[in-house]
Amino acid sequence: MNILMFAINDPAGTAIQFCKAINRHFNHTARLVTLETRYTHSWEKDLHIPDLGVDGMEEVRILMEEADVFHFHMTCDEQQMFGEHLPADYMQGKAIVHHHHGHHDFRSNPESFRQKYKKLGRNNLLVSTPDLMKKLPEATWQPNLVPINEPLFMPMGGRYDEQEKLRVCHSPTRKDLKNTDEFLAAVKRLKNRGIRLNVDMIDDVPNDECLARKRRCHVLFDHMQGYYGVSSLEGLSQGLAVIAGLDEWNRKQVAGFAGTDDLPWIVAYDQKQLEQRLTELENDRAHCQAVGEAGRMFMQNHWSDKLVAGHLIEFYENM
């Protein structure tokens, strides 16, 4: 099966990770065509239109012709030009997938997308987090993945020293969506009370640097929006204690996918609970380390890149 993914910009580097996992673990071929880079995170690229010369654009044309599946990410569709090529001109005989990642245009008006897909007769729909199923009930939840056995996603040994401050990181792409103000307020209050914290606010840096800095920490704060982000998966894979405000509905969906109710996230729903969780982790480093080790084990046993990509392959094969 030849899969060609399209994205205006790769959402949090997730599309390229799906391609890599499919190519690494399965007898299928996946490629990714992108148009723009946003932020300065330097996620990996495959066929990035601004970087391609004549030969590269010819490769895009050949891939469009030979693909069995067109997989569109976020708000991208077949009417989006990729250089001189329009996917709509190559649609015959192809399965079409639309995959939503929480873009604000989708979140603010999901009904417009539902009506569009209904009119076009499109029913191969994916969403990246469980909460988005409420906005697009016809969709299947396809969890994101991280390559758990690549060096930057592995735990770093020797991080735990009772004498040093608890190292806590937070890496918001959009601070307004990640409870960053509450996090910083919680940290300030705790420091004023003598709680020993060393905070790394990772903002607007290349992804490799972000991962390397996370890997040196003990705790990662994701957000308290009711679900989890890719940052959570990175931290769990690296063996960090990960704090996120997963609500009951999201926990149920995650448990169903993972096949276990023993989820590794430390739950905090508001600033007060966040302060309590950070205090507990600072006061008991052995507990903090054990939580991080449990998170790594969870990723190995229930959320590996092979397992999650296999879920996507099964979706393709059942279309």
Side-chain angles (χ1 to χ4, degrees), residues 16-291:
I16 192 66
Q17 293 295 359
F18 276 118
C19 288
K20 289 171 61 180
I22 289 169
N23 294 330
R24 180 187 298 124
H25 297 296
F26 300 93
N27 189 28
H28 300 289
T29 300
R31 301 294 301 273
L32 171 65
V33 188
T34 51
L35 280 175
E36 299 177 6
T37 54
R38 296 181 186 173
Y39 314 107
T40 57
H41 299 156
S42 302
W43 284 297
E44 291 183 62
K45 304 171 187 175
D46 182 7
L47 294 157
H48 189 57
I49 295 297
D51 297 340
L52 300 182
V54 174
D55 290 343
M57 289 307 306
E58 178 64 9
E59 184 178 11
V60 170
R61 182 192 65 79
I62 293 170
L63 290 170
M64 286 188 182
E65 287 181 348
E66 296 183 350
D68 301 299
V69 177
F70 275 3
H71 184 145
F72 295 103
H73 288 272
M74 292 205 293
T75 58
C76 184
D77 63 20
E78 68 271 19
Q79 300 303 327
Q80 174 65 57
M81 291 292 297
F82 285 84
E84 61 197 51
H85 302 299
L86 185 68
D89 294 336
Y90 301 86
M91 298 277 279
Q92 186 173 356
K94 293 175 174 43
I96 309 300
V97 177
H98 294 279
H99 191 163
H100 284 280
H101 297 258
H103 189 281
H104 59 85
D105 287 350
F106 172 71
R107 285 188 181 276
S108 63
N109 191 7
E111 190 60 29
S112 67
F113 290 90
R114 294 184 70 193
Q115 292 305 316
K116 171 184 172 180
Y117 299 143
K118 183 177 180 180
K119 182 178 179 179
L120 292 171
R122 305 271 170 85
N123 52 21
N124 297 319
L125 309 175
L126 297 173
V127 291
S128 63
T129 53
D131 61 297
L132 297 178
M133 288 191 287
K134 295 180 179 180
K135 297 184 179 295
L136 191 62
E138 301 84 359
T140 297
W141 172 38
Q142 171 58 56
N144 286 322
L145 61 82
V146 295
I148 66 171
N149 292 318
E150 290 188 4
L152 285 173
F153 294 88
M154 297 282 288
M156 176 180 283
R159 286 176 295 151
Y160 288 90
D161 180 348
E162 292 286 342
Q163 302 307 311
E164 73 169 317
K165 296 178 181 179
L166 187 75
R167 294 197 299 274
V168 185
C169 60
H170 178 52
S171 57
T173 304
R174 295 262 314 265
K175 295 183 179 67
D176 55 325
L177 299 179
K178 302 295 183 179
N179 298 105
T180 300
D181 289 345
E182 291 94 329
F183 170 70
L184 293 176
V187 167
K188 182 177 181 180
R189 280 173 53 85
L190 292 176
K191 286 184 174 182
N192 288 339
R193 286 164 37 197
I195 302 299
R196 301 184 310 148
L197 301 177
N198 186 350
V199 174
D200 189 357
M201 273 291 299
I202 308 172
D203 184 26
D204 207 24
V205 300
N207 189 50
D208 283 358
E209 179 184 339
C210 176
L211 290 168
R213 286 166 61 178
K214 283 182 182 178
R215 195 166 171 254
R216 293 193 288 267
C217 293
H218 306 114
V219 180
L220 179 145
F221 170 67
D222 192 353
H223 57 68
M224 297 182 291
Q225 297 293 315
Y227 52 100
Y228 68 91
V230 173
S231 187
S232 271
L233 301 180
E234 294 170 347
L236 293 172
S237 182
Q238 293 173 326
L240 278 62
V242 176
I243 302 174
L246 273 72
D247 61 29
E248 198 57 39
W249 190 86
N250 277 275
R251 289 180 64 84
K252 183 178 179 180
Q253 308 309 313
V254 171
F257 174 78
T260 177
D261 292 325
D262 189 14
L263 303 183
W265 283 267
I266 298 173
V267 176
Y269 296 118
D270 55 36
Q271 183 180 321
K272 181 178 179 180
Q273 288 187 345
L274 177 58
E275 292 175 18
Q276 292 172 342
R277 303 297 178 261
L278 289 172
T279 301
E280 292 162 1
L281 292 168
E282 198 279 334
N283 288 337
D284 190 342
R285 297 300 176 84
H287 171 62
C288 181
Q289 184 172 359
V291 170

